[in-house]
Amino acid sequence: MSANLVAATVRSGLYTRIIGKRIRFFQELTSTMDTARECAESKIDEGTVVIAEFQTSSRGRLGRTWVSKPGNLYLSVVFYPNRVTLPLIGIVAALAVKKSILKITGTRPDIKWPNDIMIHGRKVAGILVESVMMSDQIKYAIVGIGINISLNREEMGELGSIATSLNLSLGYEVSRENLLRTLLQELDSLYFDIKKGISPIQEWRESLNTLSEKVSVAHGGSKIEGIAEDVDNLGNLIIRTDDGNLVTLTSGDVTLEKNDAAR
Ligand code: BTN
């Protein structure tokens, strides 16, 4: 049984302007997404973080579930974005996860479009963005972040061939508190930048393992194959299909032809 996250250790030395001014720690939730949504409905401060040791019905992108066991990091952050910042918050979350892992472990993950965090071709963390509109106004957005820290092969089950955890891939125990504090700081700084109009796209583009690769993208019920040529300034993926046409994808599940397995 892993020890609980120590809230005081996370808070000590956490200097942020928006993200993590309020942090709510829970032992068990259905999903941090649900609790963060309730918080946003009651107009809690932007940047409020909801963290659970364990989730009983955690969810991933594209209607999938997300393996949730004690000893990892499961959090959701409340945002009140505008039309410019909304398409970028998943991107800054992915960059924040990547940068915090690099800072804490010295290992540089890459990002599989749109925001899967990968180490040695296996997924170590994922991002889920859910936004709620009222008429044509953005009411709020919740960014969920799941990072596999101590997950072992047994706990991964059938995902074992495409997923990993930090402890497994690095061979030592990574401090959840230090990683979480650094993650909130990175997210705060990147979110502040997009609010000032500084685009994260170039930095994110340079982190993507997907560009110039032959890919197959499951999108809706269909599959699109071709070369991943670029991303646009909203983060959409531009594919050159085998017949020479350009297709722009807003979402989907990429398989890189060269190595993966990974989703
Ligand atoms: C993905 O499919 O890659 C996204 C996974 C997101 C998982 C996180 S864990 C914290 C938050 N709560 C959830 O139920 N999902 C997100």
Side-chain angles (χ1 to χ4, degrees):
M1 181 74 187
S2 60
N4 282 353
L5 262 176
V6 182
T9 311
V10 176
R11 289 196 173 103
S12 74
L14 178 65
Y15 300 114
T16 53
R17 290 158 289 191
I18 304 172
I19 311 296
K21 300 299 281 179
R22 244 176 220 268
I23 309 179
R24 297 195 163 175
F25 291 89
F26 294 88
Q27 188 61 31
E28 178 179 316
L29 292 175
T30 52
S31 161
T32 56
M33 302 303 283
D34 299 335
T35 306
R37 284 176 88 121
E38 286 163 21
C39 291
E41 288 290 344
S42 62
K43 300 190 169 52
I44 205 161
D45 294 345
E46 184 168 53
T48 295
V49 177
V50 173
I51 298 181
E53 283 291 331
F54 175 64
Q55 304 174 102
T56 52
S57 46
S58 44
R59 49 187 184 264
R61 283 198 324 121
L62 308 170
R64 295 192 180 111
T65 56
W66 180 259
V67 176
S68 178
K69 307 276 183 198
N72 299 284
L73 276 178
Y74 306 117
L75 61 139
S76 293
V77 186
V78 175
F79 288 94
Y80 301 106
N82 57 34
R83 283 185 189 284
V84 175
T85 56
L86 179 61
L88 301 175
I89 54 175
I91 290 171
V92 295
L95 276 174
V97 173
K98 181 207 138 166
K99 292 171 93 167
S100 56
I101 292 176
L102 176 60
K103 269 198 179 155
I104 293 297
T105 70
T107 293
R108 184 184 302 274
D110 49 23
I111 300 175
K112 182 154 77 82
W113 183 89
N115 46 32
D116 289 350
I117 314 302
M118 314 291 292
I119 291 184
H120 306 136
R122 288 169 191 257
K123 181 162 167 174
V124 73
I127 313 285
L128 175 66
V129 181
E130 294 179 351
S131 54
V132 173
M133 311 289 292
M134 199 165 55
S135 22
D136 63 345
Q137 299 292 314
I138 302 162
K139 221 173 147 192
Y140 57 83
I142 308 295
V143 175
I145 301 175
I147 308 180
N148 299 336
I149 308 243
S150 66
L151 214 62
N152 59 38
R153 293 251 163 267
E154 227 170 37
E155 291 171 321
M156 280 174 208
E158 61 186 15
L159 298 176
S161 59
I162 56 172
T164 191
S165 66
L166 288 178
N167 293 356
L168 260 184
S169 61
L170 300 173
Y172 61 86
E173 281 192 20
V174 172
S175 156
R176 286 195 298 160
E177 285 85 358
N178 289 349
L179 182 63
L180 176 58
R181 189 187 321 102
T182 308
L183 169 63
L184 299 179
Q185 280 165 183
E186 294 293 338
L187 187 56
D188 190 66
S189 145
L190 287 156
Y191 185 54
F192 215 75
D193 281 354
I194 60 171
K195 278 167 74 80
K196 284 192 302 195
I198 300 171
S199 171
I201 294 289
Q202 186 51 27
E203 190 179 0
W204 174 69
R205 181 188 275 116
E206 286 165 10
S207 302
L208 289 173
N209 68 3
T210 318
L211 298 183
S212 309
E213 296 294 335
K214 182 124 180 59
V215 295
S216 161
V217 189
H219 176 74
S222 63
K223 199 177 249 185
I224 292 162
E225 291 181 337
I227 303 291
E229 279 214 348
D230 203 357
V231 284
D232 66 17
N233 58 10
L234 295 175
N236 302 314
L237 183 65
I238 302 167
I239 308 269
R240 173 84 58 186
T241 57
D242 296 340
D243 56 12
N245 289 327
L246 284 180
V247 179
T248 300
L249 295 178
T250 55
S251 66
D253 195 16
V254 170
T255 302
L256 299 179
E257 203 155 87
K258 64 173 181 195
N259 64 358
D260 63 31
R263 58 181 190 119

